[in-house]
Amino acid sequence: MTQTLTGKPFKPSAFKAYFHLESFLFLLPLLTIIAGWEAALRLQMISPTILPSPLNVIRTLALNITDIAFLTLAFQSLTILTLGLIAAFLLAVPLAIGTGLKRHLDSAFTPLIMIFGALPDLALLPIIIYWFGASASSALLMAVIVAFFPIFFMVREGVESIPADQFHAVEIYSTRRHHLFTKLIFPATFPNMLAGLRLSYEFLWEVILATEIIAQISGIGFFIDASVKGGALNEAFAALFLIGIIAIIVDRALFQRLENKIRRWRE
Amino acid sequence: MKSKCLEVDGISKHYHLPKGVIHALEEVTFHVHEREFISIIGPSGCGKSTLLKIIAGLDKPTKGQVRLKGEIISRPHPRISMVFQSFALFPWRTVLQNIEFGLETRGVPKRVRRKIAERLAETVGLKGCEYCYPRELSGGMKQRVSIARALAIDPEVVLLDEAFSAVDEFTAQVLRSEVIELWEETEKTFILVTHNLAEAIEMADKILVLTSRPAKLKHMVTVNLKRPRSRHRPEFVKLQRELFELLKEELEKTIIRHKLKSIYSQEKIDDIEM
């Protein structure tokens, strides 16, 4: 193993993920698609009323990105997504740990959670809107419901797969009960929390946008819907591009970064 | 006169299951002197690991008590450490972080515990692997980490639960002689649970033989062979044969019971057991 001067090991994997050319390889097929798309329009293979030119879309995005109203819409959706994710995490993790550790809690709660988890989330939307109206709180409630299940099932599985001897080791070497959580359950299930959050995050974009479109709640999804209906395809696509950019930034800056931290001890 | 370090006093363990009571341990009594290396052997499934868990304070006896220098053990004691068959290392911690685990939970300052962990890593032959994670180590190396973790808290008693059973025989042989050396150097009390007769004879001052379920103390043998003990010496072979005979009687009992099980139904057998 390569050792640095400080005695700390040199981690090639983490280094690679940040600065290596490989992490930008995704640009190659992406740019090819955009080029092909632009070419198809220039050669009049597709009418611009069906599909706007990608260069026009990028231009629209560049113009709109300084527009406070447009950004506010994107931030509304992102805020609901983030709040939903955090609330779901705070609800799901204690429940997952409880049911993963205690058999009677598992028997009491898990079948119920499984039934609700099996329901198609959007089926709840009409009821939620009937109760709370076409409002941000309806979208937030949908977000919490959607994000809850992946986190719950992932973390519960993580707790259950901790070997009994690791619990014994903590009991042998520590007299403080909270160490079971801080020194064992949290670090052991951290990869599961991350996987659950990532799954939920991906579901959330879909469900929040669908909610905005169906219930006409203000947000970037609503903006796309309104643009298409108003014939402004450029704007709709600009919004799509923006969502794509946000999604990739969050993925790289948050999830992949955290996954790199646990890669070395896992696999 | 050596002083009594650990006293196991009339330990019984019964499990209450829906279909009846299982008697795992019945009135097991013995004591261990300071700096003694004792080994507990018995037929598989007899409850020797349960006995070790009770000594560790991980499990409660139905009857009886375990005392460490007079102090009754009802939960894990800070001066008793344990080495597991499955190593039970924490995969997200490096070698050093695993070794210093028991010191960290006690609030020993980082610099102090790091120094202790580094010294122990060197003692058990892990130099150069201090910053490795368990998945990067072989079975033998993992068990070395587990042993170093057990020694780091400066225990009175080190419990070894089938500690050499999960590694290949060659590695096990090396580990055994290393543990013997550590035991001689550290002057601590070691208790080893094993099903390997030669291992018990090679390592222990005293061997306790347990009966098949319910486990009682069947026999106690003092091993008066000079260390290092060669497995080919006639005294070694003779002792191994004697212990084997003792265990065979117990194994036969279990075999007869298994045969009966195939003849009678489950419930009837449980009646016989009770």
Side-chain angles (χ1 to χ4, degrees), chain A residues 53 98 100 128 147 187 199 213 226 255-256:
Chain A
S53 139
I128 288 173
L199 266 175
I213 292 166
F255 291 117
Q256 286 201 10

Side-chain angles (χ1 to χ4, degrees), chain A residues 165 173 183 264-267, chain B residues 82 86 91 104-105 135 150:
Chain A
D165 273 349
Y173 294 112
K183 305 278 181 196
R264 182 141 183 253
W265 67 260
R266 266 194 115 204
E267 286 155 24
Chain B
M82 192 161 178
S86 65
E104 186 185 310
T105 59
R135 74 163 184 95

